Short mmCIF file of all heavy atoms in Angstrom, two decimals:
data_model
loop_
_atom_site.label_atom_id
_atom_site.label_comp_id
_atom_site.label_asym_id
_atom_site.label_seq_id
_atom_site.Cartn_x
_atom_site.Cartn_y
_atom_site.Cartn_z
N ALA A 238 -126.31 -209.32 14.17
CA ALA A 238 -126.69 -209.01 15.55
C ALA A 238 -126.47 -207.55 15.89
O ALA A 238 -127.29 -206.91 16.57
CB ALA A 238 -125.90 -209.89 16.52
N SER A 239 -125.36 -206.97 15.42
CA SER A 239 -125.03 -205.60 15.82
C SER A 239 -125.98 -204.57 15.24
O SER A 239 -126.17 -203.49 15.81
CB SER A 239 -123.59 -205.27 15.38
OG SER A 239 -123.47 -205.41 13.98
N SER A 240 -126.60 -204.87 14.10
CA SER A 240 -127.47 -203.89 13.45
C SER A 240 -128.95 -204.20 13.64
O SER A 240 -129.80 -203.44 13.19
CB SER A 240 -127.16 -203.82 11.96
OG SER A 240 -127.34 -205.09 11.36
N ALA A 241 -129.26 -205.31 14.28
CA ALA A 241 -130.65 -205.73 14.41
C ALA A 241 -131.40 -204.88 15.42
O ALA A 241 -130.82 -204.38 16.38
CB ALA A 241 -130.71 -207.20 14.83
N GLU A 242 -132.71 -204.69 15.17
CA GLU A 242 -133.57 -204.00 16.13
C GLU A 242 -133.82 -204.92 17.33
O GLU A 242 -133.82 -206.14 17.18
CB GLU A 242 -134.90 -203.64 15.46
CG GLU A 242 -134.79 -202.60 14.37
CD GLU A 242 -134.41 -201.24 14.93
OE1 GLU A 242 -134.82 -200.92 16.06
OE2 GLU A 242 -133.68 -200.51 14.24
N PRO A 243 -134.05 -204.34 18.53
CA PRO A 243 -134.35 -205.17 19.70
C PRO A 243 -135.61 -206.01 19.45
O PRO A 243 -136.57 -205.55 18.85
CB PRO A 243 -134.58 -204.15 20.82
CG PRO A 243 -133.87 -202.92 20.36
CD PRO A 243 -133.99 -202.92 18.87
N PHE A 244 -135.58 -207.24 19.90
CA PHE A 244 -136.72 -208.12 19.71
C PHE A 244 -137.83 -207.78 20.71
O PHE A 244 -137.57 -207.33 21.82
CB PHE A 244 -136.31 -209.58 19.90
CG PHE A 244 -135.25 -210.05 18.94
CD1 PHE A 244 -134.04 -210.54 19.42
CD2 PHE A 244 -135.45 -209.99 17.57
CE1 PHE A 244 -133.06 -210.97 18.55
CE2 PHE A 244 -134.47 -210.41 16.69
CZ PHE A 244 -133.27 -210.91 17.18
N ASP A 245 -139.08 -208.00 20.28
CA ASP A 245 -140.21 -207.77 21.19
C ASP A 245 -140.23 -208.80 22.31
O ASP A 245 -140.62 -208.49 23.43
CB ASP A 245 -141.53 -207.83 20.41
CG ASP A 245 -141.68 -206.65 19.44
OD1 ASP A 245 -141.08 -205.59 19.73
OD2 ASP A 245 -142.39 -206.81 18.44
N ASP A 246 -139.82 -210.01 21.99
CA ASP A 246 -139.84 -211.09 22.98
C ASP A 246 -138.55 -211.90 22.87
O ASP A 246 -138.55 -213.01 22.33
CB ASP A 246 -141.07 -211.99 22.75
CG ASP A 246 -141.16 -213.14 23.74
OD1 ASP A 246 -140.56 -213.02 24.84
OD2 ASP A 246 -141.83 -214.14 23.42
N PRO A 247 -137.42 -211.35 23.38
CA PRO A 247 -136.15 -212.07 23.28
C PRO A 247 -136.25 -213.49 23.86
O PRO A 247 -136.88 -213.70 24.89
CB PRO A 247 -135.20 -211.21 24.12
CG PRO A 247 -135.80 -209.85 24.13
CD PRO A 247 -137.28 -210.07 24.10
N TRP A 248 -135.66 -214.42 23.14
CA TRP A 248 -135.62 -215.83 23.51
C TRP A 248 -136.99 -216.52 23.43
O TRP A 248 -137.10 -217.70 23.72
CB TRP A 248 -135.04 -216.03 24.92
CG TRP A 248 -133.72 -215.40 25.13
CD1 TRP A 248 -133.46 -214.22 25.81
CD2 TRP A 248 -132.44 -215.86 24.68
NE1 TRP A 248 -132.12 -213.94 25.79
CE2 TRP A 248 -131.46 -214.94 25.11
CE3 TRP A 248 -132.03 -216.98 23.94
CZ2 TRP A 248 -130.11 -215.09 24.84
CZ3 TRP A 248 -130.68 -217.15 23.67
CH2 TRP A 248 -129.74 -216.21 24.11
N GLY A 249 -138.02 -215.80 23.07
CA GLY A 249 -139.37 -216.39 23.07
C GLY A 249 -139.84 -216.70 24.48
O GLY A 249 -140.69 -217.60 24.67
N ALA A 250 -139.34 -215.95 25.47
CA ALA A 250 -139.64 -216.25 26.88
C ALA A 250 -141.12 -216.08 27.19
O ALA A 250 -141.74 -216.92 27.85
CB ALA A 250 -138.79 -215.36 27.79
N ALA A 251 -141.70 -214.96 26.73
CA ALA A 251 -143.11 -214.72 27.01
C ALA A 251 -143.99 -215.75 26.29
O ALA A 251 -145.00 -216.22 26.84
CB ALA A 251 -143.49 -213.30 26.59
N ALA A 252 -143.61 -216.10 25.08
CA ALA A 252 -144.38 -217.10 24.33
C ALA A 252 -144.35 -218.45 25.06
O ALA A 252 -145.35 -219.16 25.12
CB ALA A 252 -143.81 -217.24 22.93
N PHE A 253 -143.19 -218.80 25.62
CA PHE A 253 -143.05 -220.05 26.36
C PHE A 253 -144.00 -220.08 27.56
O PHE A 253 -144.77 -221.03 27.75
CB PHE A 253 -141.60 -220.22 26.82
CG PHE A 253 -141.41 -221.17 27.96
CD1 PHE A 253 -141.70 -222.51 27.84
CD2 PHE A 253 -140.94 -220.70 29.19
CE1 PHE A 253 -141.53 -223.39 28.90
CE2 PHE A 253 -140.76 -221.56 30.26
CZ PHE A 253 -141.06 -222.91 30.12
N LEU A 254 -143.97 -219.03 28.37
CA LEU A 254 -144.78 -219.02 29.58
C LEU A 254 -146.27 -218.92 29.27
O LEU A 254 -147.10 -219.40 30.04
CB LEU A 254 -144.34 -217.88 30.49
CG LEU A 254 -142.94 -218.06 31.09
CD1 LEU A 254 -142.47 -216.79 31.79
CD2 LEU A 254 -142.92 -219.23 32.06
N ALA A 255 -146.60 -218.29 28.14
CA ALA A 255 -148.01 -218.21 27.75
C ALA A 255 -148.52 -219.53 27.21
O ALA A 255 -149.73 -219.81 27.30
CB ALA A 255 -148.18 -217.11 26.70
N ASP A 256 -147.61 -220.35 26.71
CA ASP A 256 -148.02 -221.59 26.04
C ASP A 256 -148.16 -222.77 26.99
O ASP A 256 -148.92 -223.69 26.73
CB ASP A 256 -147.01 -221.92 24.94
CG ASP A 256 -147.46 -223.09 24.07
OD1 ASP A 256 -148.63 -223.09 23.65
OD2 ASP A 256 -146.65 -224.00 23.82
N ILE A 257 -147.41 -222.73 28.12
CA ILE A 257 -147.39 -223.90 28.99
C ILE A 257 -148.55 -223.87 29.96
O ILE A 257 -149.17 -222.83 30.21
CB ILE A 257 -146.06 -224.00 29.77
CG1 ILE A 257 -145.92 -222.82 30.75
CG2 ILE A 257 -144.89 -224.06 28.82
CD1 ILE A 257 -144.72 -222.95 31.68
N ASP A 258 -148.84 -225.04 30.52
CA ASP A 258 -149.89 -225.16 31.53
C ASP A 258 -149.23 -225.03 32.90
O ASP A 258 -148.66 -225.98 33.42
CB ASP A 258 -150.57 -226.52 31.39
CG ASP A 258 -151.70 -226.70 32.39
OD1 ASP A 258 -152.17 -225.68 32.94
OD2 ASP A 258 -152.10 -227.86 32.63
N GLY A 259 -149.29 -223.85 33.49
CA GLY A 259 -148.63 -223.60 34.77
C GLY A 259 -147.75 -222.37 34.70
O GLY A 259 -147.77 -221.63 33.71
N ASP A 260 -146.97 -222.17 35.76
CA ASP A 260 -146.18 -220.94 35.82
C ASP A 260 -144.68 -221.17 35.85
O ASP A 260 -143.91 -220.25 36.05
CB ASP A 260 -146.57 -220.11 37.04
CG ASP A 260 -146.23 -220.83 38.35
OD1 ASP A 260 -145.78 -222.00 38.30
OD2 ASP A 260 -146.43 -220.22 39.42
N ALA A 261 -144.23 -222.40 35.61
CA ALA A 261 -142.79 -222.72 35.57
C ALA A 261 -142.09 -222.23 36.85
O ALA A 261 -141.11 -221.50 36.79
CB ALA A 261 -142.13 -222.13 34.33
N TYR A 262 -142.65 -222.64 37.98
CA TYR A 262 -142.03 -222.37 39.29
C TYR A 262 -141.89 -220.87 39.57
O TYR A 262 -140.89 -220.43 40.13
CB TYR A 262 -140.68 -223.08 39.39
CG TYR A 262 -140.79 -224.56 39.15
CD1 TYR A 262 -140.50 -225.09 37.89
CD2 TYR A 262 -141.22 -225.43 40.15
CE1 TYR A 262 -140.63 -226.46 37.65
CE2 TYR A 262 -141.36 -226.79 39.90
CZ TYR A 262 -141.07 -227.30 38.66
OH TYR A 262 -141.20 -228.64 38.42
N GLY A 263 -142.91 -220.12 39.16
CA GLY A 263 -142.91 -218.69 39.44
C GLY A 263 -142.02 -217.86 38.54
O GLY A 263 -141.85 -216.66 38.78
N THR A 264 -141.49 -218.46 37.49
CA THR A 264 -140.60 -217.72 36.59
C THR A 264 -141.38 -216.72 35.74
O THR A 264 -142.46 -217.01 35.25
CB THR A 264 -139.88 -218.71 35.65
OG1 THR A 264 -139.17 -219.66 36.44
CG2 THR A 264 -138.90 -217.99 34.75
N THR A 265 -140.81 -215.54 35.59
CA THR A 265 -141.39 -214.51 34.73
C THR A 265 -140.60 -214.46 33.42
O THR A 265 -139.47 -214.95 33.35
CB THR A 265 -141.33 -213.14 35.41
OG1 THR A 265 -139.95 -212.78 35.59
CG2 THR A 265 -142.03 -213.16 36.76
N PRO A 266 -141.16 -213.85 32.37
CA PRO A 266 -140.39 -213.69 31.13
C PRO A 266 -139.07 -212.97 31.36
O PRO A 266 -138.02 -213.39 30.85
CB PRO A 266 -141.33 -212.89 30.23
CG PRO A 266 -142.70 -213.25 30.70
CD PRO A 266 -142.57 -213.41 32.19
N ASP A 267 -139.10 -211.89 32.14
CA ASP A 267 -137.86 -211.15 32.41
C ASP A 267 -136.86 -212.00 33.19
O ASP A 267 -135.65 -211.94 32.95
CB ASP A 267 -138.16 -209.86 33.19
CG ASP A 267 -138.80 -208.80 32.31
OD1 ASP A 267 -138.69 -208.91 31.08
OD2 ASP A 267 -139.41 -207.86 32.87
#
């Protein structure tokens, strides 16, 4: 973890919101 580069999509948050049908109660990836 200490030496790893920052992830493009931490936690897969953007992938989750892009994959679901809807907006998850207005939640954004951030």
Side-chain angles (χ1 to χ4, degrees):
S239 59
S240 59
E242 292 293 326
F244 300 122
D245 291 334
D246 180 22
W248 306 103
F253 159 65
L254 292 170
D256 188 46
I257 65 172
D258 181 18
D260 65 355
Y262 304 98
T264 303
T265 64
D267 286 341

